[in-house]
Amino acid sequence: MKIWEAIIYGIFGGAAELLPISFGGHSVVLREIFNLSSLTQGGGYYVRAAIELGVMAAMLLSFSAETISFGRELLLTTGLRHRRRGERTNPVLRRSIFLGVFALVPMLCSLFFTAAAERITRLLIVALLFALNGLLIFLCCRRRVGKKNEKTVLLSDTLLIGFARMLSVFPGLSSVGSSMAVARARGLSQRYALRLTYLLTLCYEAAAFLFYLIRAFCFGSFTAGILLPMLLAMLFSGVAGYFAIQYFRYLLNRDKLQVFSYYCWDAAVITLILSLINS
């Protein structure tokens, strides 16, 4: 993979993974427009794994306080860290961890058919999925913001979010978009929906990194020339991901997430035009 290809993938990977606009769909369109190397062949597996690292770094920087408290409580809950004298547990956070595990199960199951989903490269199908993703975001914005938080969220709420994210593995659908849409539909508050979405995304990205790394060892081809594209992909995805999160927060605070629905519909039209040109 060439350096400029890794940079393009890194920029779009960092932004699209952390915004409700689908990196899978964008990678299909980018390959068609710029004739890029595939992320599922040769050194592309290593670049894909590097992008996941950059996305994780962006989330850790953006949600450092939440991640530290979440990690501390997780270690206490699993017994990997002993409670210090005078240290108290956080029952609300422990409940969130318990419910989040149920959301993670279907999400991680999606890794079993990720390879099959990546074979969907027909532009017409991707265009339809882009349009569907935009519709979900639009309907999400039409509903009033709920008030559920860590104390009142239900198991059924987190399960539905997990299953929605599982289906978002297909190119054109966004896991962040589906999370926010289901969270709004189930009455979660914006603040809690954002925290839950990105904590789930962080856990999934860690699993996805291992998944792509294993695939790289099994099916990819590592050479010394892939090291620089990997580093650049990780760097650009981290920077793009960090600014994407800040932009998402900005729009969420102003209740203007419908911007992404218009973006997805524009992407659907462009993808459909490309499909007609190639047919």
Side-chain angles (χ1 to χ4, degrees):
M1 178 171 290
K2 299 180 177 65
I3 290 177
W4 67 272
E5 293 177 322
I7 292 175
I8 291 177
Y9 275 131
I11 293 173
F12 279 90
E17 284 281 15
L18 296 173
L19 293 175
I21 54 177
S22 176
F23 177 49
H26 278 79
S27 63
V28 174
V29 177
L30 288 172
R31 285 201 304 271
E32 186 65 32
I33 295 176
F34 298 107
N35 195 27
L36 301 180
S37 302
S38 175
L39 289 174
T40 58
Q41 291 179 0
Y45 287 114
Y46 291 96
V47 172
R48 187 70 170 89
I51 291 173
E52 302 297 336
L53 279 180
V55 170
M56 290 167 59
M59 286 187 289
L60 289 173
L61 286 173
S62 301
F63 296 91
S64 56
E66 292 89 341
T67 305
I68 291 172
S69 60
F70 176 83
R72 183 187 299 117
E73 194 64 34
L74 181 61
L75 291 175
L76 288 173
T77 302
T78 56
L80 296 176
R81 176 176 175 269
H82 296 293
R83 188 178 296 106
R84 297 173 182 172
R85 180 175 297 179
E87 185 178 15
R88 296 181 179 180
T89 60
N90 188 333
V92 176
L93 187 55
R94 180 168 293 190
R95 181 176 185 271
S96 294
I97 293 173
F98 175 76
L99 295 177
V101 169
F102 285 93
L104 278 172
V105 171
M107 287 168 52
L108 297 180
C109 288
S110 68
L111 294 174
F112 291 106
F113 55 88
T114 294
E118 288 174 344
R119 296 192 186 99
I120 299 176
T121 57
R122 289 190 59 184
L123 293 174
L124 178 59
I125 297 177
V126 175
L128 293 175
L129 292 175
F130 265 133
L132 177 59
N133 192 64
L135 179 61
L136 290 174
I137 299 171
F138 181 78
L139 294 176
C140 154
C141 296
R142 300 280 292 179
R143 292 186 62 88
R144 296 181 62 181
V145 178
K147 297 181 179 180
K148 288 184 181 179
N149 53 26
E150 295 93 334
K151 297 180 180 179
T152 56
V153 66
L154 303 176
L155 175 60
S156 57
D157 299 329
T158 56
L159 277 175
L160 285 173
I161 291 174
F163 279 108
R165 292 179 66 97
M166 179 180 70
L167 297 176
S168 299
V169 71
F170 296 100
L173 296 178
S174 165
S175 57
V176 173
S178 64
S179 297
M180 296 302 296
V182 174
R184 180 71 70 91
R186 299 292 296 182
L188 273 65
S189 67
Q190 286 193 142
R191 174 179 169 275
Y192 180 58
L194 180 66
R195 289 181 59 194
L196 179 62
T197 294
Y198 279 111
L199 282 174
L200 290 175
T201 301
L202 179 60
C203 295
Y204 179 81
E205 293 296 328
F209 166 71
L210 294 175
F211 171 76
Y212 285 112
L213 197 61
I214 292 172
R215 290 179 67 187
F217 287 143
C218 295
F219 307 110
S221 55
F222 182 83
T223 60
I226 199 63
L227 286 175
L228 183 57
M230 285 176 62
L231 291 174
L232 290 174
M234 182 175 63
L235 174 63
F236 278 90
S237 64
V239 173
Y242 177 81
F243 285 107
I245 292 174
Q246 309 316 311
Y247 181 58
F248 189 83
R249 279 173 162 168
Y250 171 82
L251 293 179
L252 186 64
N253 291 333
R254 286 156 181 76
D255 201 19
K256 293 183 178 180
L257 291 185
Q258 64 270 18
V259 168
F260 296 113
S261 63
Y262 304 142
Y263 177 90
C264 288
W265 290 333
D266 290 340
V269 172
I270 293 173
T271 307
L272 181 60
I273 292 173
L274 289 174
S275 175
L276 293 175
I277 292 174
N278 292 341
S279 62

